[in-house]
């Protein structure tokens, strides 16, 4: 069993993975992707999970977001054991409790930026409908894109699109944001800017878990953990 | 002129007889480091409600730019775009978004479903933008749409649990969320196997049967043929649709050459277009109505050789074989519109394509055989 524990005397973890196992059954035989993973992320932490391609990073983030299910183990986020929820319940729960940022942004190409944010609000009742536009504009302002609010995604750069995706992840004010290779499709300078944005979110009290293969940028997180062959180990506190 | 427009069984409303989509001289130019690049050049085009139109052309021909203009995703640098009576080119950004949400469903090659939402949520997602339905209605409507596309059982699953074909059907249901009159799609089957592609095409056909207008960009000629009408672009210009149908093997650059030089003429019912034994001067392609090809006999009677309609051509025999016109051609009982190429332009263009020349030779053989048969039976 591999363990990564910090702060055990502090508050309860916001994100708590206990003994997560995930095995993929392939024609070439079983391939264990996650081997008994334990990981706790505490409120206000900025955690980077680093690892090579195939190490289990994507599987890890997919079980946290509920896109994939573990074979065994428990995932407790903000006190909710999400491994017990149906996909339908999970999707509704996630809207309010977990913001997700993807490598390829996943913005809807036919909607302008404002609409891309406000549709995420429509799914939850966090804000009254009449406030959606105002809230969406505020979020776009926070990520520095307000002037482009009425453009469609293809009219702005990749870095700007990822900012919009981050704004969308925050649409229903979730306490935790997870990001899957959020800078994997961006140049170095733009990647740095995205991490600036993450840092400012953490300063505002959000909790962040970022999966990346880029060790240099991972060093900007407050804590790094490494995943190798489906097992996790701590790398200590970053710069 | 007025006609009735019916939508979804609503009360019939008399509207001005205009096309659903009306493009007038639409151009789009981009400034690049290498100078100005013209993506679309003076495109004029009408599409009616209930049409299924494929848009084809080589890579870089302007087909994606065209569909982005039709759908208000991009703005023209010249010309006018009217859709269902709205001057889309005049809308500001915010109004364009509202207009697009209500009038246009879009289906993409890579589905673009949000991975963390269930299929049902993906379908309800655009409904919040238009406020046409209450919250309760949205869920009912989404389930109904998923039933229509045949994946009601997958409603509460995440997209990643569905096959590609099922995901595309979910994307079509999402495109229908606000019941738009127009569905626009760019390579909708590009990422599907042939079986799933067929199901998606049948779904588009059933939407057309229900009165929706479907616009499909594709590079696949077989797929394009599924649509009753095909629009071809070359170099940012529209090729004459009827010329393309008449001479399908002619390369696009030659078709563009010919399109630029066509003359359009109208003929009243029964009016003579080609006189028997006249000097040949033009090649004709029918764009509206039907013509009769007739051989006058020495005793003053007539033998009807052929009846030709839109997309078919006449006047090629004497131009290619030499000699005088072999038969007379006149408009049938309705007005006829033709596009014509002068003898010089026609011969230049045809002689630049061996394939087209040999295809024409086959048709000429058929037609002259019929002439000979009709002449000998007199």
């Amino acid at each position: 069993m591999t363990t990564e524990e910090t702060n055990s005397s502090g508050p309860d973890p916001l994100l708590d993975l206990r003994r997560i196992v995930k095995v993929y059954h392939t024609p070439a035989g079983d391939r264990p992707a996650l081997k008994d993973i334990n990981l706790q992320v505490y409120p206000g932490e900025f955690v980077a999970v680093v690892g090579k391609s195939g190490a289990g990073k994507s599987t890890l983030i997919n079980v946290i977001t509920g896109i994939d299910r573990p074979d065994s183990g428990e995932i407790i986020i903000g006190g909710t054991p999400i491994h017990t929820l149906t996909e339908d319940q999970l999707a509704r729960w996630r809207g309010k409790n977990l913001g997700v940022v993807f490598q390829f942004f996943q913005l809807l190409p036919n909607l302008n930026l404002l609409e891309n944010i406000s549709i995420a609000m429509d799914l939850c009742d966090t804000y009254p409908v009449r406030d959606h536009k105002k809230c969406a504009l505020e979020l776009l302002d926070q990520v520095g894109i307000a002037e482009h609010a009425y453009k469609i995604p293809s009219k702005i750069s990749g870095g700007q699109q990822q900012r919009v995706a981050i704004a969308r992840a925050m649409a229903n004010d979730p306490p935790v944001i997870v990001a899957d290779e959020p800078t994997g499709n961006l140049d170095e300078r733009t990647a740095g800017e995205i991490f600036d944005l993450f840092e400012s979110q953490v300063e505002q009290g959000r909790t962040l878990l970022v999966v990346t293969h880029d060790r240099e940028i991972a060093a900007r997180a407050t804590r790094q953990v490494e995943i190798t062959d489906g097992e996790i180990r701590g790398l200590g506190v970053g710069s | 002129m007025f006609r009735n427009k019916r939508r979804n069984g609503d009360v019939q409303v008399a509207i001005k007889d205009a096309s659903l989509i009306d493009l007038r001289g639409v151009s789009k130019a981009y400034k690049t480091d290498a100078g100005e690049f013209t993506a679309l050049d003076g495109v004029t085009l009408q599409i009616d409600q209930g049409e299924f139109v494929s848009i084809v052309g080589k890579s870089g021909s302007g087909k994606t730019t065209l569909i982005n203009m039709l759908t208000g995703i991009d703005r023209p640098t010249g010309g006018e775009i009217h859709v269902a009576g709205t001057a889309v080119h005049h809308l500001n950004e915010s109004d364009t978004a509202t207009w697009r949400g209500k009038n246009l469903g879009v289906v993409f090659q890579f589905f673009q479903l949000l991975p963390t939402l269930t299929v049902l949520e993906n379908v309800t997602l655009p409904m919040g933008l238009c406020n046409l339905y209450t919250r309760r209605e949205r869920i009912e409507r989404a389930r109904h749409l998923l039933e229509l596309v045949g994946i009601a059982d997958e409603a509460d699953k995440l997209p990643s649990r569905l096959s590609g074909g099922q995901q595309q059907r979910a994307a079509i249901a999402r495109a229908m969320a606000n019941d738009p009159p127009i569905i626009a799609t760019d390579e909708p089957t590009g990422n599907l196997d042939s079986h799933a592609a067929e199901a998606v095409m049948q779904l588009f056909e059933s939407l057309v049967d229900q009165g929706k207008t479907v616009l499909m960009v594709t590079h696949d000629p077989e797929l394009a043929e599924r649509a009753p009408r095909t629009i071809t672009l070359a170099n940012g210009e529209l090729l004459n649709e009827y010329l393309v149908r008449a001479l399908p093997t002619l390369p696009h650059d030659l078709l563009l050459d010919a399109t630029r030089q066509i003359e359009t003429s109208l003929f009243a019912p029964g009016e003579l277009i080609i006189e028997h034994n006249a000097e040949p001067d033009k090649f004709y392609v029918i764009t509206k109505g039907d013509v009769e090809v007739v051989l006058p006999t020495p005793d003053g009677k007539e033998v009807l050789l052929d009846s030709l309609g839109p997309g078919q051509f006449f006047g090629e025999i004497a131009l290619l074989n030499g000699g005088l016109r072999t038969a007379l051609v006149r408009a049938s009982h309705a007005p006829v519109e033709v596009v014509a190429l002068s003898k010089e332009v026609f011969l230049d263009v045809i002689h630049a394509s061996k394939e087209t020349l040999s295809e024409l030779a086959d048709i000429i053989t058929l037609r002259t055989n019929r002439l000979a048969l009709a002449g000998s039976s007199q």
Side-chain angles (χ1 to χ4, degrees), chain A residues 87 91 94 110 112 125 152, chain B residues 73 116 135 157-158 161:
Chain A
E87 286 195 344
R94 194 188 298 111
N110 58 320
N112 66 35
D125 293 318
I152 58 163
Chain B
I73 281 178
T116 54
R135 292 220 155 196
K157 295 183 183 165
L158 291 178
R161 304 269 189 272

Side-chain angles (χ1 to χ4, degrees), chain B residues 274-296:
Chain B
I274 285 181
E275 200 177 337
H276 187 217
N277 287 330
E279 277 291 336
D281 57 345
K282 284 176 188 167
F283 168 80
Y284 297 89
V285 175
I286 304 161
T287 57
K288 281 193 189 98
D290 296 301
V291 302
E292 293 170 346
V293 184
V294 173
L295 180 66

